[in-house]
Amino acid sequence: MEEYILLENVIFESSSSSSSTDSDANDKALQDILFNNDRAERRVVPKIRNYLEHVVARYTDNEFKSHFRMKRNTFHFLLHLIGPRLNNTPFRGREQIDTTKQLLIAIYVLATPDSYRSICERFDVARSTAWFSVKRVIRAIYDIRNQFIKWPTYEEAQTT
């Protein structure tokens, strides 16, 4: 509310003021209000650090399965299949996150009804990073679908 009153005062003063120094000061105050220059420092959102390295690595096989809805061996098999597909593409000009982390994020998104906000805090990534990771993993799984999903021919369907 104070910003609106200050903004109103700056606009009123600039229209009634004739001094150029007053005008410059008012312009600066107006820019500070409009562009939030008083908060030039970016706030760092707190996240869980090293969840993958310290927590997931210590999960028993049952805990891993309860969180990710697949056995650890199945996860490693899937990682072996699609890992190279996740590792090829540059990740929007920034350093790409590890393929293991990408797959864990995607599996966690698919396995739990948790929000992206919560998942991003857990895995220490931005929402866009998590979203792109899920998208890339889904695309990689889609690309290998024909190795595992076989539709029967007409004769096989008739026999079945």
Side-chain angles (χ1 to χ4, degrees), residues 94-110:
R94 295 188 180 210
E95 185 177 324
Q96 183 176 338
I97 63 172
D98 183 47
T99 55
T100 303
K101 191 179 228 184
Q102 288 183 58
L103 183 56
L104 280 173
I105 289 169
I107 297 300
Y108 199 85
V109 166
L110 296 171

Side-chain angles (χ1 to χ4, degrees), residues 141-153 156:
I141 291 172
Y142 180 79
D143 288 344
I144 64 168
R145 73 191 181 284
N146 291 334
Q147 294 176 19
F148 300 96
I149 302 172
K150 305 270 189 214
W151 292 104
T153 63
E156 291 170 338

Side-chain angles (χ1 to χ4, degrees), residues 61 64-65 68-82 103-104 107 141 144 148:
D61 289 337
F64 188 89
K65 186 174 181 180
F68 297 101
R69 306 285 193 253
M70 67 173 55
K71 291 182 179 180
R72 196 182 302 266
N73 291 342
T74 306
F75 173 81
H76 288 296
F77 177 73
L78 183 58
L79 181 63
H80 175 74
L81 284 176
I82 68 171
L103 183 56
L104 280 173
I107 297 300
I141 291 172
I144 64 168
F148 300 96

Side-chain angles (χ1 to χ4, degrees), residues 3-115:
E3 291 178 342
Y4 293 115
I5 294 169
L6 185 56
L7 178 61
E8 190 175 281
N9 290 342
V10 168
I11 292 171
F12 177 75
E13 289 172 8
S14 66
S15 63
S16 63
S17 167
S18 61
S19 170
S20 67
T21 57
D22 286 343
S23 178
D24 291 341
N26 289 339
D27 288 346
K28 174 73 173 120
L30 184 58
Q31 286 176 354
D32 287 345
I33 292 168
L34 293 176
F35 300 115
N36 243 355
N37 286 342
D38 57 334
R39 297 182 203 158
E41 297 171 10
R42 213 173 144 181
R43 183 180 178 288
V44 177
V45 178
K47 296 179 182 169
I48 298 170
R49 302 284 179 208
N50 301 318
Y51 173 73
L52 178 62
E53 296 83 1
H54 295 300
V55 178
V56 175
R58 293 181 181 171
Y59 280 161
T60 65
D61 289 337
N62 288 335
E63 290 170 332
F64 188 89
K65 186 174 181 180
S66 75
H67 282 34
F68 297 101
R69 306 285 193 253
M70 67 173 55
K71 291 182 179 180
R72 196 182 302 266
N73 291 342
T74 306
F75 173 81
H76 288 296
F77 177 73
L78 183 58
L79 181 63
H80 175 74
L81 284 176
I82 68 171
R85 296 172 194 273
L86 300 176
N87 208 13
N88 291 341
T89 316
F91 205 62
R92 301 261 178 201
R94 295 188 180 210
E95 185 177 324
Q96 183 176 338
I97 63 172
D98 183 47
T99 55
T100 303
K101 191 179 228 184
Q102 288 183 58
L103 183 56
L104 280 173
I105 289 169
I107 297 300
Y108 199 85
V109 166
L110 296 171
T112 63
D114 213 348
S115 68

